[in-house]
Amino acid sequence: MTAQILRTCVEQFVGTLNEVLVAAIDTPGRFVATSSRDNDQVFVQAVDRRCNQAGGLALLRAADAPRVPALFLNAHYTVEMSPTGSHLRVAGSTVGLWADVTGGRKRPRPLVRVEYDRGQLGHGRAAAHVHLHANSPELAWMYGSAGRPAPDLHALHFPVGGRRFRPTLEEFLLFLDRENLFNDWKEGWKPRLIRSLEAWERRQARATTRQFPAEAIGALETLGYRVAAPGA
C-alpha cells in the first residue's frame, strides 16, 4: 500500500469531518491530519487556535460572555489502512465534551468521553465505550456492599454501540442539540448531519458485509436475491 493511497484516503476522511463541522457550527476550527513517525497511521484532530488549552473546539453559546466559551468539543481519531489495503479504518477515536465554569481562569474539565479502541477487540473489553465524569453514590454503595472499593465513575468503560455502529461525531452533535447543551447551530445544519450519518451507516453496512459474507448472502437470499460466489 503506497503512502499516496493513504494520503488520499485520509484527505477524504478529513474532508468529510470538516463538512460536518462547517455545516453545523460557526467556528474557525478544523480537523487536521498528522502522520505517525513510521507513516503507517495518521492522527486526525479538531484544532481551534482560539482555545489551545482545551485541545478542542470552542462551542461559543449566546449565553456566554463574548470570546469566553464555557463549552468545548474535543475530537480526535487515529486511522490506518485495512490489512487488505482496500479501505481506511479507524484504529481509535475520542469524541468528548469539556467545560470551563471559571470564565477562562482554569483549564476545562471533561464531562463525557465516547471512545473507540480497535486494540480492545477480542479481549473481553468494550472497544466502543463511554466514560462519564460524574459521581454516583448509588454505584459506590453497590461496590461497597460487595466488599470492593468504588472506582471513579470515569474509570469505568460503559459499552455502547459495538464495533461497527459505535457513536459518531454526527451523533454527538445531535446529542448536544437534543439535550439543549448547545443551540447556536448554523441554518439548515440538521438535515446535512443526518445525510452524513446515513452515509456512515452505509459504509459500516459494507464493512459488516465484508466481515460476515455468509450472513449477508443469507439475508439477501431471504429477500429474494440470487447471490453467486466468485468464480461460480
Side-chain angles (χ1 to χ4, degrees):
M1 176 55 58
T2 65
Q4 179 59 46
I5 295 177
L6 175 60
R7 282 197 298 270
T8 299
C9 291
V10 170
E11 288 174 1
Q12 294 173 347
F13 180 74
V14 172
T16 298
L17 291 174
N18 280 328
E19 286 176 3
V20 169
L21 196 63
V22 171
I25 304 171
D26 185 12
T27 175
R30 294 293 184 270
F31 283 91
V32 297
T34 304
S35 296
S36 62
R37 288 186 177 181
D38 52 12
N39 293 317
D40 63 340
Q41 290 186 325
V42 177
F43 309 116
V44 178
Q45 183 171 7
V47 176
D48 187 342
R49 304 302 180 188
R50 301 174 303 174
C51 55
N52 288 334
Q53 65 166 350
L57 302 175
L59 302 180
L60 191 62
R61 307 171 302 163
D64 296 330
R67 297 182 297 279
V68 186
L71 196 62
F72 301 87
L73 176 69
N74 190 304
H76 56 86
Y77 303 81
T78 301
V79 297
E80 61 191 12
M81 296 306 296
S82 67
T84 62
S86 60
H87 59 278
L88 191 73
R89 70 181 189 182
V90 174
S93 67
T94 296
V95 180
L97 197 63
W98 265 246
D100 174 16
V101 298
T102 68
R105 294 188 299 275
K106 294 184 178 180
R107 294 177 61 86
R109 295 176 61 86
L111 298 177
V112 58
R113 293 175 290 135
V114 180
E115 297 187 343
Y116 173 70
D117 182 359
R118 182 175 291 274
Q120 304 252 13
L121 296 177
H123 294 288
R125 301 180 66 181
H129 53 265
V130 169
H131 296 279
L132 297 175
H133 292 259
N135 296 311
S136 173
E138 292 80 9
L139 187 64
W141 183 91
M142 289 293 180
Y143 274 93
S145 65
R148 299 175 57 193
D152 292 330
L153 193 59
H154 65 258
L156 302 180
H157 293 66
F158 292 96
V160 57
R163 174 183 180 182
R164 291 298 180 196
F165 294 96
R166 58 192 183 272
T168 65
L169 175 65
E170 294 89 338
E171 288 179 309
F172 200 84
L173 295 176
L174 290 168
F175 157 77
L176 295 180
D177 178 67
R178 185 171 57 251
E179 302 302 329
N180 292 313
L181 291 170
F182 182 77
N183 294 307
D184 297 88
W185 305 100
K186 283 188 173 181
E187 184 177 355
W189 70 279
K190 186 173 289 187
R192 297 181 67 177
L193 254 69
I194 295 296
R195 288 195 295 270
S196 180
L197 182 58
E198 290 173 347
W200 153 265
E201 291 174 345
R202 287 192 291 271
R203 289 195 299 272
Q204 292 303 91
R206 290 193 291 269
T208 301
T209 299
R210 289 192 297 268
Q211 184 180 5
F212 302 108
E215 286 76 8
I217 291 172
L220 289 171
E221 290 178 340
T222 299
L223 294 174
Y225 288 89
R226 294 182 178 178
V227 182

